[in-house]
Amino acid sequence: QVSPENNNFYTDFVRVPMLTCVAVVGGNVTHPLNEQFKTVTQQALAADTFHSVTLPGGASQEAPGYLGHAMSSWLGDAPLYAKYMGFDPSKDPRILAAVDFQFQLSHPFNYHALGSAAADPSKYENRYITPIGDTHPNSVNYTNLPLITAYKPKAVSSLKSLEIPGFGVVLHSQPGTLSETFLSFKAGPNRGHNHGDQLSIHWCAYGTRHAIDLLFGYNPRPLEEFWHNRYSFSMNSTTLQNMDGFERLIQTNFGFTVDAAMGTVSSSRLRTPPQTPPGIYAAHYPEDELGGELNYTRAVVLVKQSPQRDYIVMKDDVAAPLPLVASFNQWYMQDGPPVAKVVSSSDSLLFTVDLGNSTLFVASMDGTKMTGFTTTRWTNTSEGNEFATGIRVQRPNVTTASFVALLYPSGSLTAKTAMIPTGVIRYMYLISIYAYMYIYIVYILYTPLLLFTYIEIHI
C-alpha cells in the first residue's frame, strides 16, 4: 500500500516525515542536525518523484489522477521546502515534466465540471484530464498548475501527436477547435494498479467525447478489461476474462495527414474477475492457464482530413495457443437516451452500428462474421454524472485472427442525432511485412459520387 509502486499512497506516507523535518528545521534554526534533515527531505522527494514519473515525457507510473494527487502535495508544500529546506519542487525538472504530461492528456469538453460553459476547447480550463485508470473528476486543475510552478503551457492549438514513454501515445488533429479530434492510446507498461486498459483508446471527435475510458474512479473500481475500449479474450462467450500483462509501444509514425501507432501485450493465462464493476484490488481471481502465450497487438491510425471529417482506423491481431472468444468492447458517452442500432444486414461481413453521433464498422479480415452483439447501459453518479452505452460483438474459436474497425464521427456539430453516412466501406485490408505496416483502406465516401480514397501508410 505504501511502496513506490503506488505513488499516490507512497506520497501520503512519506509526506509525514518530510514535513516533520520541515517543522524541526523551521522551529529550531540552530538544531545540530538541520543539514541532515534538509538532505534526507530532498532525497525523499527525489525518490518519490523518481518512482512516480517517467522521463522523458513525464508519464505517471500510476494513473494521471494519482499523479495529480501526488503533485498537490509536492507543489502545495513547495513554499515550505523553498523557505526552510533549500530546494523548490515547483522548479524541479521531473515535476515540470509531470505537469506537461497532464497538459498533453487534456481532452476537449470538460462537461463534468462546467456543463455547457465548456464549449471552447481552446482554453485548458475547458478541457479535462484523460480518465485513464483511477483518474477522478477534477483531479487536475489546469488553471492553477501554471500559477504554482515554473511551467508555461503551450497554446492548445500547438499540441502535437507524440509518444509519451511509459504511457503510450496521444494523437491530435485540429486541437483547440470545435473540429478537434483527440485519441489517447494506452500502450505503455506504467501501472501501479492493474486497470484493464492495456491497448485501450479514449477518443474525442468534433470537440466532444465519443469512445471513452469510463470515469469510475474508486466507486466502482474498473479492473475488467472488457469494460475498456479494446479486445478482450475468454474461454467462452458468456464468462468474460482478463489476460493482464504489461503492454508496450512498438511502432509510431506521425505525419501531416496520418498518425499511427502500434502496441502489443502478452499473457500465458486468463483471469476471471467479476463481470461488472467493481473489481477488488489485489484479489486473486480464478485463472485458466493457456499452455502458451496469448499475443494481442493493436494498430491505431488517425486519418486527418481537414476540412473533412477525421476518423480512426484500428487493426487488432491475436494469436492464441488454443481457441478463444475474442470480444470487441467499446464504451460511448451518451448523456441522452442510449443509441446503439445495428444497421448492417444479418448476412453482412461488415458489422455496422449507428451510435447517434458516430458510426462503428467492425470486420474480421478473413471474412468470418462477427456475432453476439450486446449492449450495456452504464450510469455512474458517484463521481461526475456519467452516462455511457457499452457495445460488444464477438468472434468465437479464435486462434489466429485479424480484425479491423473504423470509427467515423457521423454527427454534425449541432445535431444531437446524426444521419448514418450515405457511403459504405467497400474494402478494408491491413497487412504487416517485416518492420513496415502497410494499411490499405478503400472506401466509398459518398455513393452517388463514387468517390474512392486510397491510403498507404508506412511505419
Side-chain angles (χ1 to χ4, degrees):
Q1 291 290 319
V2 294
S3 78
E5 288 302 307
N6 189 328
N7 60 269
N8 183 73
F9 297 131
Y10 182 75
T11 299
D12 290 343
F13 173 75
V14 77
R15 185 187 185 203
V16 175
M18 290 172 65
L19 291 179
T20 300
C21 290
V22 171
V24 171
V25 173
N28 185 355
V29 296
T30 62
H31 195 289
L33 298 179
N34 274 355
E35 291 305 314
Q36 288 93 321
F37 288 141
K38 293 179 182 180
T39 298
V40 297
T41 301
Q42 188 168 8
Q43 289 174 339
L45 179 66
D48 188 12
T49 57
F50 177 82
H51 286 287
S52 301
V53 180
T54 299
L55 293 179
S60 56
Q61 169 65 30
E62 245 293 352
Y66 274 43
L67 177 64
H69 174 83
M71 287 197 299
S72 68
S73 295
W74 300 336
L75 298 174
D77 298 337
L80 296 175
Y81 298 133
K83 180 176 181 179
Y84 297 109
M85 311 305 277
F87 64 94
D88 188 352
S90 70
K91 299 177 182 179
D92 182 276
R94 190 177 290 269
I95 293 178
L96 292 179
V99 174
D100 183 67
F101 170 69
Q102 302 281 36
F103 276 82
Q104 295 291 344
L105 261 65
S106 72
H107 73 234
F109 198 56
N110 186 359
Y111 177 82
H112 287 293
L114 299 176
S116 60
D120 182 4
S122 68
K123 299 178 181 179
Y124 281 108
E125 57 264 33
N126 289 342
R127 299 173 71 84
Y128 184 75
I129 183 66
T130 301
I132 300 297
D134 287 346
T135 293
H136 310 277
N138 303 318
S139 58
V140 175
N141 187 325
Y142 287 114
T143 302
N144 192 48
L145 279 174
L147 301 178
I148 60 175
T149 67
Y151 179 77
K152 303 300 180 186
K154 61 188 70 174
V156 174
S157 60
S158 67
L159 291 173
K160 305 292 184 184
S161 298
L162 79 164
E163 174 187 349
I164 305 177
F167 175 82
V169 299
V170 176
L171 305 181
H172 292 281
S173 178
Q174 306 178 74
T177 73
L178 293 177
S179 298
E180 177 177 357
T181 297
F182 171 94
L183 182 87
S184 73
F185 178 41
K186 182 64 178 68
N190 286 15
R191 60 184 64 252
H193 293 60
N194 288 318
H195 295 122
D197 53 16
Q198 308 94 314
L199 308 187
S200 179
I201 65 163
H202 179 87
W203 173 49
C204 303
Y206 279 79
T208 190
R209 298 160 299 166
H210 284 260
I212 55 131
D213 208 84
L214 297 170
L215 288 168
F216 294 94
Y218 289 127
N219 186 20
R221 187 182 298 278
L223 303 184
E224 293 86 353
E225 293 172 3
F226 39 92
W227 282 69
H228 293 276
N229 299 316
R230 51 161 293 174
Y231 271 87
S232 61
F233 307 95
S234 53
M235 303 294 287
N236 60 66
S237 61
T238 57
T239 303
L240 303 177
Q241 295 178 289
N242 284 5
M243 65 177 289
D244 303 312
F246 291 88
E247 69 277 25
R248 59 193 183 278
L249 189 67
I250 56 177
Q251 295 279 6
T252 61
N253 183 51
F254 307 128
F256 181 73
T257 57
V258 170
D259 293 332
M262 181 184 288
T264 189
V265 64
S266 301
S267 177
S268 61
R269 57 106 172 102
L270 295 174
R271 198 164 54 99
T272 308
Q275 297 300 284
T276 60
I280 302 172
Y281 174 57
H284 182 80
Y285 294 118
E287 298 181 2
D288 290 302
E289 294 293 334
L290 299 176
E293 286 291 302
L294 166 61
N295 296 305
Y296 171 36
T297 301
R298 163 168 280 188
V300 296
V301 180
L302 166 59
V303 182
K304 297 178 281 189
Q305 295 206 118
S306 175
Q308 302 179 55
R309 293 190 182 276
D310 301 333
Y311 58 89
I312 305 298
V313 179
M314 297 186 295
K315 177 177 181 273
D316 294 279
D317 294 286
V318 57
L322 51 82
L324 298 175
V325 175
S327 299
F328 178 85
N329 309 283
Q330 203 99 295
W331 295 86
Y332 290 87
M333 181 63 76
Q334 295 184 344
D335 290 315
V339 179
K341 179 182 178 182
V342 177
V343 294
S344 50
S345 62
S346 59
D347 60 349
S348 174
L349 299 180
L350 184 63
F351 195 83
T352 308
V353 184
D354 171 22
L355 292 147
N357 62 359
S358 66
T359 305
L360 168 68
F361 304 89
V362 184
S364 180
M365 289 173 55
D366 65 359
T368 303
K369 286 200 304 182
M370 307 293 287
T371 60
F373 176 73
T374 58
T375 64
T376 302
R377 184 62 171 171
W378 171 252
T379 301
N380 179 13
T381 58
S382 68
E383 295 194 53
N385 295 327
E386 179 175 69
F387 305 94
T389 301
I391 67 169
R392 181 172 296 121
V393 62
Q394 298 178 323
R395 177 182 161 181
N397 299 318
V398 170
T399 51
T400 301
S402 296
F403 305 90
V404 66
L406 191 147
L407 314 180
Y408 185 81
S410 53
S412 70
L413 291 175
T414 55
K416 294 182 178 180
T417 302
M419 298 294 292
I420 305 300
T422 55
V424 296
I425 301 174
R426 297 285 295 187
Y427 180 65
M428 295 188 295
Y429 180 60
L430 299 83
I431 185 169
S432 298
I433 302 178
Y434 301 114
Y436 298 94
M437 180 176 68
Y438 298 87
I439 299 181
Y440 302 94
I441 309 163
V442 182
Y443 69 99
I444 298 177
L445 189 59
Y446 297 102
T447 303
L449 299 180
L450 294 178
L451 176 63
F452 287 82
T453 298
Y454 175 83
I455 300 169
E456 181 180 72
I457 303 166
H458 301 265
I459 295 183

